Amino acid sequence: MSDTPHVTGASPRARRPARRRRRAADNGLAYGFLTPAISCFALFSWYPLVRGVILSFQQVNFVSDPEWVGFANFSAIFHDPLFWTAWWNTVKFTGIALAFGYVVPFFLAVVVNEMRHLKGYFRVAVYLPVMLPPLVVVLLWQYFYDPGNGLFNTVLRGLHLPESQWTQSPRMAMVSLVLVSTWANMGTATIMYLAALQNIPGELYEAAELEGANVWQRLWYVTIPHMRFILAVLLMLQIVATMQVFIEPFQLTGTTNPDTITVMVLIYRYAFTVNHDFGMAAAMSVLLFVVLGAFSMAYIRLISREGTRA
Amino acid sequence: MSETRSLFSDAQLRRGRARWVYFVVLTLLTLLFAAAFLFPMYWMVIGSLKEPAELARPIPTWIPESFHPEVYVQAWNELNIGRFFLNTAFYAFGAWLVQLVVDVTAAYALSKLRPVLGNVVLGAMLSTLLLPTAALLVPAYLTISDVPLLHVNLLDTPWALWLPSAANAFNIYILKQFFDQIPDELLDAARMDGAGSLRILVSIVLPLSRPVLAVVSIFAVIAMWKDFLWPLLVLQEPRTQTLSVALSRLSATGRVPLTEVMAGLVIASVPMIAAFLVFQRSILKGLTAGGLKG
């Protein structure tokens, strides 16, 4: 204890440690509140990301310690004929899925937006399949697709049209998977398009009409330019989502079918069925991550650009 | 009511021939939506109620000749659908609770306690939105099977679903956005009265945040109910499985009567459809407000 005379109203020098102590207590408290979340993120997001990259250069078995194998995992998957098949199938799936699930909802939303009745019904109906568990959807469609007496072939037979083998025909299998997936997910895109359409000011259409624009010109010069942002956002989101397709091929055509094996199914196969090789699965995941990361980055740039403009 | 207009104005749609065209399009669209989106659900329900022999006929019946609701009892007991349903409900409830506790406390700290480096933590969390879930599948599975530092195996336990679901940046982001709008003066006044941070969170912040808590809750339950791939990997013990994983396994055996599988599908769908009809406003709003994948 020093015997300096006591000063009321603490000198700056004496106040600072006190404030720092309080700040420290506050920070301690705040990080106390943050601890559960940080632990969850650390264990299940941040660490797995790093570990995934490390794993892709390792040979793992659960008996001895993992050993470094350089690019052996990558070279192993590059030499697997299924690797190229899976990528090609995934790109094909994404392409067809965009044609159905990105373009069709746009026109559907434009037409629904013109309706002056039953708006609520259209919204609920189109979004209902999105609420179903995906596994329910694929099993239901599996039964529709049944070549013998599934609903689709029964209807085609009734109309005297040629029947299809659907998921069991090499030519139709991929389209069949896209149809299921689109049916289950198109509600999301439709609802988002509708929300964007409702934000277009009516005066713009008035003005275009006064200029003598017909309905197609109004669609082209007023509607589409205003939808640019949502069109770009949904394009990115749908590419990222459809490239991760798993449940449709897994349930409808199995994990061994070369006509429909996708990147995610192959990752599953490397890790959990045929190979039991986590290194190969991790290498495949890293490649998928790099490809999808590019699209994700584009998406984030879009969002933040829009944020600064708004 | 002011006249809203889109490509066409109300007046244009009311005039002469346009009016007929409008009603033809409206009728066709109504029927199209009914056929495309509602009919498959109807088919699922009546498929479960038909007699197995009737369901297997090459020419299907549009209305069942005889109704057999007892199939639901059979599926519930013999296929163990009851157990899987309760499992799924339990997992969804737990995911909801864990997500609320973990993500609310984090968002509150970032929004109101503003610690040093808070923005860095938030940025690190938000950056995980960029990660495709698929890329983390294998390492996350290995993490669950042997949690670092603790060295416990969480496979086949509810924690394998709950803990990863709490690492949800989307939740933290929308909760923090909402908390940011609550004036600090309110909190300071309570602090003057001697309330601690936890007390303030529980008695002031949470009661004001009902709308955002509702959105987070609904999405937490829906996500858990719909999930398939992750539960498929981490719940290998049949007793612990979710409805989706169990139905996938049961249908693959090919030994289960189709009517019972159908009944299982209906049982898996009913809670989701009911939730949607009750909360449709919040669900559709949450979807467009986020602009992100929920």
Side-chain angles (χ1 to χ4, degrees):
Chain A
M1 286 286 122
S2 62
D3 50 358
T4 42
H6 181 69
V7 195
T8 47
S11 71
R13 219 178 6 175
R15 205 168 6 158
R16 205 176 304 136
R19 195 172 45 190
R20 200 179 301 156
R21 251 202 311 275
R22 201 174 52 232
R23 284 293 305 164
D26 280 353
N27 279 326
L29 183 75
Y31 276 101
F33 274 97
L34 277 165
T35 300
I38 290 178
S39 316
C40 286
F41 274 93
L43 282 175
F44 303 110
S45 286
W46 303 330
Y47 167 71
L49 182 66
V50 177
R51 180 149 188 210
V53 176
I54 292 173
L55 262 178
S56 66
F57 296 103
Q58 285 183 329
Q59 178 72 49
V60 199
N61 61 36
F62 294 94
V63 188
S64 55
D65 283 342
E67 54 182 289
W68 293 94
V69 292
F71 284 92
N73 287 321
F74 289 92
S75 106
I77 58 175
F78 285 145
H79 285 101
D80 181 357
L82 276 177
F83 172 88
W84 303 104
T85 313
W87 277 102
W88 172 235
N89 283 341
T90 304
V91 169
K92 211 159 56 172
F93 181 94
T94 297
I96 309 172
L98 286 177
F100 288 147
Y102 177 70
V103 179
V104 173
F106 178 83
F107 289 103
L108 213 51
V110 167
V111 177
V112 166
N113 197 45
E114 291 307 313
M115 295 297 133
R116 302 294 186 267
H117 307 85
L118 299 176
K119 269 225 158 84
Y121 157 79
F122 291 124
R123 265 201 211 100
V124 168
V126 79
Y127 201 73
L128 211 43
V130 183
M131 293 299 292
L132 297 180
L135 193 273
V136 169
V137 172
V138 290
L139 280 184
L140 185 62
W141 280 66
Q142 191 164 25
Y143 162 65
F144 290 155
Y145 278 144
D146 188 275
N149 46 14
L151 182 67
F152 292 167
N153 275 356
T154 310
V155 171
L156 289 174
R157 218 175 298 150
L159 298 169
H160 300 289
L161 291 166
E163 294 173 39
S164 169
Q165 293 293 305
W166 302 108
T167 54
Q168 296 168 30
S169 106
R171 218 166 38 87
M172 276 301 289
M174 201 46 113
V175 175
S176 307
L177 298 189
V178 175
L179 281 177
V180 185
S181 165
T182 303
W183 183 81
N185 297 309
M186 74 189 294
T188 307
T190 311
I191 297 287
M192 284 184 157
Y193 284 139
L194 269 173
L197 283 167
Q198 276 156 6
N199 285 335
I200 302 177
E203 300 83 60
L204 294 174
Y205 290 109
E206 299 276 355
E209 229 163 65
L210 292 173
E211 303 275 327
N214 67 24
V215 62
W216 303 113
Q217 288 167 319
R218 295 201 291 272
L219 181 70
W220 184 252
Y221 291 109
V222 179
T223 312
I224 292 188
H226 269 88
M227 300 282 282
R228 234 188 242 134
F229 174 64
I230 190 79
L231 281 164
V233 164
L234 276 174
L235 183 64
M236 296 304 148
L237 283 180
Q238 290 206 8
I239 289 174
V240 172
T242 50
M243 287 202 76
Q244 297 179 65
V245 57
F246 175 81
I247 192 168
E248 290 87 356
F250 174 83
Q251 193 65 43
L252 291 170
T253 50
T255 54
T256 54
N257 185 332
D259 296 324
T260 51
I261 192 164
T262 61
V263 172
M264 277 308 294
V265 174
L266 192 56
I267 290 174
Y268 175 83
R269 199 181 135 120
Y270 282 154
F272 300 102
T273 62
V274 183
N275 310 62
H276 287 289
D277 187 326
F278 287 102
M280 278 168 82
M284 192 77 174
S285 303
V286 166
L287 294 177
L288 181 64
F289 177 68
V290 169
V291 171
L292 295 183
F295 288 109
S296 290
M297 287 308 234
Y299 167 72
I300 292 295
R301 284 189 49 186
L302 263 171
I303 294 270
S304 50
R305 251 220 326 260
E306 191 68 17
T308 51
R309 231 198 347 220
Chain B
M1 257 194 54
S2 68
E3 182 179 296
T4 54
R5 69 151 297 165
S6 39
L7 284 173
F8 297 102
S9 65
D10 291 0
Q12 283 168 320
L13 293 173
R14 273 199 296 266
R15 267 202 306 263
R17 205 167 54 104
R19 191 171 162 187
W20 288 110
V21 174
Y22 168 76
F23 275 105
V24 168
V25 172
L26 178 69
T27 311
L28 287 176
L29 204 60
T30 306
L31 294 174
L32 175 77
F33 273 57
F37 303 118
L38 306 182
F39 179 75
M41 315 233 177
Y42 166 78
W43 204 242
M44 177 168 78
V45 174
I46 63 160
S48 68
L49 294 168
K50 287 175 183 175
E51 217 182 346
E54 190 185 343
L55 187 63
R57 267 185 234 165
I59 308 285
T61 44
W62 302 100
I63 296 169
E65 291 164 2
S66 56
F67 288 90
H68 298 272
E70 66 272 15
V71 71
Y72 283 87
V73 181
Q74 286 159 10
W76 188 268
N77 296 327
E78 289 166 29
L79 288 189
N80 251 337
I81 296 291
R83 169 179 207 108
F84 302 126
F85 181 89
L86 295 175
N87 279 351
T88 316
F90 173 62
Y91 295 143
F93 171 77
W96 166 77
L97 196 64
V98 171
Q99 277 180 51
L100 273 195
V101 170
V102 171
D103 295 347
V104 163
T105 48
Y108 172 64
L110 292 169
S111 168
K112 294 299 176 203
L113 306 178
R114 299 195 198 94
V116 177
L117 298 181
N119 280 337
V120 177
V121 173
L122 182 65
M125 287 176 176
L126 288 179
S127 66
T128 62
L129 287 172
L130 287 177
L131 300 177
T133 40
L136 297 180
L137 207 58
V138 172
Y141 170 85
L142 290 177
T143 307
I144 287 283
S145 65
D146 180 14
V147 179
L149 309 177
L150 307 172
H151 292 295
V152 285
N153 174 357
L154 296 176
L155 290 178
D156 296 331
T157 70
W159 298 103
L161 302 179
W162 293 342
L163 294 176
S165 83
N168 185 325
F170 181 72
N171 281 353
I172 291 179
Y173 178 74
I174 60 169
L175 286 165
K176 180 181 175 296
Q177 291 284 67
F178 197 93
F179 294 165
D180 285 346
Q181 292 166 1
I182 297 174
D184 283 343
E185 291 76 36
L186 269 180
L187 278 61
D188 291 337
R191 201 160 274 138
M192 291 293 176
D193 295 341
S197 293
L198 189 60
R199 180 73 202 276
I200 291 173
L201 171 62
V202 173
S203 346
I204 296 176
V205 175
L206 290 186
L208 289 172
S209 310
R210 281 206 192 96
V212 75
L213 294 176
V215 170
V216 169
S217 304
I218 295 165
F219 279 99
V221 171
I222 291 173
M224 188 51 73
W225 204 274
K226 285 180 67 175
D227 205 1
F228 177 75
L229 179 51
W230 182 246
L232 172 80
L233 299 183
V234 296
L235 303 173
Q236 289 154 352
E237 176 64 49
R239 279 181 312 106
T240 65
Q241 282 172 347
T242 64
L243 205 39
S244 284
V245 175
L247 282 169
S248 167
R249 184 172 45 82
L250 291 168
S251 74
T253 61
R255 287 198 303 271
V256 180
L258 193 51
T259 51
E260 289 188 25
V261 175
M262 285 284 166
L265 298 186
V266 174
I267 290 171
S269 310
V270 163
M272 289 290 97
I273 293 173
F276 180 48
L277 296 179
V278 174
F279 302 113
Q280 52 161 306
R281 291 190 81 102
S282 322
I283 291 172
L284 296 180
K285 246 216 304 279
L287 180 76
T288 48
L292 290 152
K293 253 184 70 189

